């Protein structure tokens, strides 16, 4: 797709119906992101997400049998310590149904990429703002905004490509720098807050569909307002339960007149006082 100049579409999804809908909508890639941590699991960040949680979410997505490639995100702690950890944990995601895995970082992580690719597992890299190490980066802020940092980013990207990544997420990077990196690489870049020069774009499900409300990073664009729709639906349900409008006749199961009469007769007999 990169060679053909066709933009690549990736969304996150964390459950079965979302994966089905994303697939029906024709996305190319579904990322079971560790952003599940702050979008569905109620954590403040992605850091607490465990392998067991990632495996469960990945399996739920994969069971939708989407046409899109399913990428399982490797949670914090699942690959940092050693290549062996990385392979063992990536194997769990693949057995759960992931076609590929994603991991954050470069440097020593290039060794993890080589180990995973050597084990036959395709790897997507992730550079720029890497939320799992946001504290080291000085917070959740854009990266590569000095010439030195931008050169570092480019070198990291080239290193990950050489290590065998099939694609690379660029998160919160100046658009001009992301475009340079995308041109320098043969593998496709998928941007989030990295401008239109990337080979594809990804947004988080709850951001793009307006389930998340309130302050959002500048790159978030809402393509629906599902939070309003969901609230409206539940409020209407609650109001109808309270007024008795729900359930209506068409929502209830019927029994024949004869069976009902027989039931009522038995009830009556059963209640008769013993002789
Ligand atoms: O976990 C995630 O959703 C991600 C995307 C922001 C790329 O890593």
């Amino acid at each position: 797709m990169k060679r053909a100049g066709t933009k690549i579409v990736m969304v996150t999804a964390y459950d079965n119906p979302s994966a089905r809908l994303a697939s029906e909508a024709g996305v190319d890639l579904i990322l079971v992101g560790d952003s599940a941590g702050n979008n569905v699991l109620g954590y403040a960040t992605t850091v607490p997400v465990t392998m067991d949680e990632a495996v469960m979410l990945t399996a739920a997505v994969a069971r939708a049998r989407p046409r899109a490639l399913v990428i399982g995100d490797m949670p914090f702690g699942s690959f940092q310590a050693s290549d062996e950890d990385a392979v063992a944990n990536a194997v769990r995601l693949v057995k759960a149904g992931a076609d590929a895995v994603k991991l954050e970082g470069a440097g020593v992580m290039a060794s993890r990429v080589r180990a995973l690719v050597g084990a036959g597992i395709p790897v997507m890299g992730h550079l720029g703002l890497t939320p799992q190490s946001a504290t080291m980066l000085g917070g959740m802020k854009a990266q590569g905004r000095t010439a030195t940092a931008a050169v570092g980013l480019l070198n990291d990207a080239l290193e990950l490509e050489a290590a065998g990544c099939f694609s690379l997420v660029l998160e919160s990077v100046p658009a001009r720098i992301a475009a340079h990196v995308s041109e320098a690489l043969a593998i496709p870049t998928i941007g989030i807050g990295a401008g239109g020069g990337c080979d594809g774009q990804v947004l988080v499900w709850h951001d793009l569909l307006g389930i998340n409300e309130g302050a959002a990073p500048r790159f978030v664009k809402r393509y629906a307002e599902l939070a309003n729709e969901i609230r409206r639906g539940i409020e209407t349900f609650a109001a109808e339960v309270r007024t008795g409008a729900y359930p209506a006749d068409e929502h209830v199961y019927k029994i024949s007149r004869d069976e009902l009469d027989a039931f009522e007769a038995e009830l009556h007999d059963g209640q008769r006082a013993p002789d």
Side-chain angles (χ1 to χ4, degrees):
M1 290 175 79
K2 175 167 179 146
R3 275 194 299 272
T6 307
K7 294 284 187 185
I8 300 165
V9 180
M10 179 160 95
V11 295
T12 69
Y14 317 105
D15 60 40
N16 189 277
S18 305
R20 177 176 52 79
L21 292 172
S23 185
E24 286 168 7
V27 305
D28 302 303
L29 307 169
I30 294 176
L31 172 65
V32 190
D34 64 350
S35 52
N38 39 310
N39 287 292
V40 298
L41 297 176
Y43 300 135
T45 69
T46 60
V47 169
V49 175
T50 65
M51 264 313 291
D52 286 348
E53 288 164 341
V55 165
M56 187 192 67
L57 300 170
T58 301
V61 165
R63 279 185 215 112
R65 299 191 171 279
R67 287 176 59 83
L69 197 81
V70 174
I71 299 162
D73 212 359
M74 300 205 57
F76 184 63
S78 69
F79 63 95
Q80 279 79 2
S82 67
D83 290 355
E84 288 72 21
D85 268 9
V87 173
N89 285 316
V91 163
R92 288 190 65 194
L93 292 177
V94 171
K95 283 185 183 285
D99 299 305
V101 301
K102 177 172 83 58
L103 56 78
E104 295 183 9
V108 69
M109 301 313 162
S111 164
R112 309 288 180 265
V113 174
R114 279 190 290 275
L116 291 169
V117 173
I121 300 171
V123 185
M124 172 179 267
H126 183 156
L127 291 176
L129 173 56
T130 44
Q132 293 176 5
S133 45
T135 311
M136 287 282 284
L137 301 175
M140 292 288 283
K141 33 172 123 148
Q143 302 295 310
R145 299 185 83 176
T146 64
T148 310
V151 169
L153 182 73
L154 175 60
N155 287 335
D156 286 349
L158 291 167
E159 184 186 29
L160 288 180
E161 178 176 65
C165 280
F166 74 90
S167 176
L168 183 63
V169 166
L170 293 175
E171 178 166 352
S172 300
V173 170
R176 297 289 293 272
I177 301 306
H180 271 293
V181 172
S182 303
E183 272 167 36
L185 298 181
I187 60 171
T189 59
I190 310 292
I192 175 161
C198 294
D199 303 302
Q201 298 291 325
V202 55
L203 279 177
V204 164
W205 186 267
H206 294 64
D207 288 337
L208 91 96
L209 294 174
I211 299 171
N212 285 341
E213 298 176 295
R218 63 182 293 145
F219 55 78
V220 170
K221 180 171 176 185
R222 286 191 198 170
Y223 289 86
E225 295 294 342
L226 288 198
N228 289 340
E229 266 299 286
I230 291 168
R231 255 192 308 270
R232 195 198 54 73
I234 296 172
E235 281 166 6
T236 308
F237 169 63
E240 291 198 354
V241 169
R242 289 175 184 135
T243 61
Y246 177 85
D249 200 45
E250 69 264 31
H251 304 121
V252 300
Y253 296 102
K254 305 284 165 54
I255 185 169
S256 70
R257 187 68 250 172
D258 287 353
E259 292 299 330
L260 188 60
D261 287 347
F263 165 73
E264 283 172 351
E266 273 190 38
L267 203 64
H268 184 255
D269 288 351
Q271 280 170 354
R272 226 177 26 207
D275 297 330

